[in-house]
Amino acid sequence: GESVGLHLPTLSVQEGDNSIINCAYSNSASDYFIWYKQESGKGPQFIIDIRSNMDKRQGQRVTVLLNKTVKHLSLQIAATQPGDSAVYFCADNGAQYSGGGADGLTFGKGTHLIIQP
Amino acid sequence: DTGVSQDPRHKITKRGQNVTFRCDPISEHNRLYWYRQTLGQGPEFLTYFQNEAQLEKSRLLSDRFSAERPKGSFSTLEIQRTEQGDSAMYLCASSSTGGALEKLFFGSGTQLSVL
């Protein structure tokens, strides 16, 4: 089946630097994308989402960029803090277009963001 | 805290036993999802409900798994005759058809260990 994947399993950044986490998706029918943050022992926590009619969306300290041409999205975190340490997942809604019915979100494997002091 | 509650947080059981998990979604959300997550992987869709109707089931959901949402509020996920391969985090999520349908709010999950 089609899936969403992330380029790097682990990303290490210095505290205060900006972080960029990348994601490639394969289902060209996907029109909704979402980033989640998951801390150890907890469920995924919503960060930001974007629809395919947009290229960029900003939140508080976070920005999501979507490039539909190459089926790529990224999550940028400004001024990374120790509390940003977590696994970050991208997900898309493409399964509903290929499987028939709303199969929820399709998640990638995640990138573990490590903050160096 | 997203407002989605799951119980229990942890469950240890012996192979062959039955287990049941409960999820209480955000009260005004009419969609409820179950996902499974194994170590190092992203969550995988299992099934979802709109109100009390179970509308979709993944091929991952074997006949040992059954989910219910009898009154369109809380949901239960039962696994019969558990196997070691069932060990995983079981996540519940909810969303609203009145908002961004795909924006799922997840609970903290139930961590199942089958010995």
Side-chain angles (χ1 to χ4, degrees):
Chain A
E2 296 189 327
S3 62
V4 177
L6 286 160
H7 292 313
L8 292 173
T10 302
L11 176 65
S12 182
V13 298
Q14 292 289 125
E15 183 178 349
D17 287 353
N18 297 334
S19 302
I20 299 175
I21 301 172
N22 294 305
C23 182
Y25 65 96
S26 57
N27 192 336
S28 56
S30 300
D31 59 8
Y32 176 82
F33 305 88
I34 188 167
W35 283 96
Y36 284 95
K37 171 186 179 183
Q38 187 173 27
E39 296 172 294
S40 181
K42 297 184 178 180
Q45 176 187 356
F46 169 82
I47 300 174
I48 192 167
D49 57 0
I50 188 168
R51 293 209 172 269
S52 58
N53 60 350
M54 301 174 69
D55 297 323
K56 179 179 180 179
R57 193 170 186 208
Q58 289 184 294
Q60 187 176 14
R61 277 201 313 118
V62 294
T63 301
V64 56
L65 299 177
L66 175 62
N67 185 329
K68 296 179 286 294
T69 303
V70 295
K71 291 187 282 191
H72 178 273
L73 68 159
S74 65
L75 176 69
Q76 300 178 2
I77 305 173
T80 311
Q81 303 169 357
D84 295 328
S85 289
V87 178
Y88 289 80
F89 293 97
C90 62
D92 74 71
N93 71 341
Q96 67 180 302
Y97 300 115
S98 55
D103 282 349
L105 298 172
T106 302
F107 284 79
K109 292 186 179 181
T111 289
H112 185 193
L113 180 64
I114 298 171
I115 312 303
Q116 305 279 4
Chain B
D1 183 8
T2 63
V4 178
S5 300
Q6 291 189 246
D7 183 70
R9 289 295 311 278
H10 303 275
K11 179 69 177 179
I12 300 173
T13 191
K14 292 183 179 179
R15 189 175 52 184
Q17 297 295 304
N18 299 343
V19 294
T20 300
F21 311 140
R22 176 179 170 126
C23 172
D24 288 88
I26 295 171
S27 59
E28 62 268 26
H29 283 185
N30 50 8
R31 283 205 171 179
L32 185 149
Y33 298 78
W34 286 99
Y35 279 77
R36 180 171 65 190
Q37 185 177 26
T38 53
L39 197 63
Q41 303 294 317
E44 295 176 296
F45 169 80
L46 293 178
T47 188
Y48 92 97
F49 294 82
Q50 179 153 316
N51 300 314
E52 67 276 6
Q54 188 173 15
L55 297 185
E56 194 77 20
K57 290 194 287 187
S58 164
R59 288 183 291 275
L60 295 174
L61 210 65
S62 80
D63 56 8
R64 296 184 297 105
F65 288 68
S66 62
E68 294 183 341
R69 194 183 184 198
K71 297 182 180 179
S73 56
F74 73 92
S75 175
T76 57
L77 177 68
E78 180 183 18
I79 309 174
Q80 295 183 324
R81 306 181 302 281
T82 53
E83 302 173 356
Q84 288 184 325
D86 297 332
S87 295
M89 172 80 84
Y90 289 85
L91 292 163
C92 175
S94 68
S95 70
S96 171
T97 53
L101 190 60
E102 308 95 330
K103 183 176 176 180
L104 305 186
F105 293 85
F106 283 87
S108 294
T110 294
Q111 182 66 54
L112 173 66
S113 297
V114 182
L115 305 179

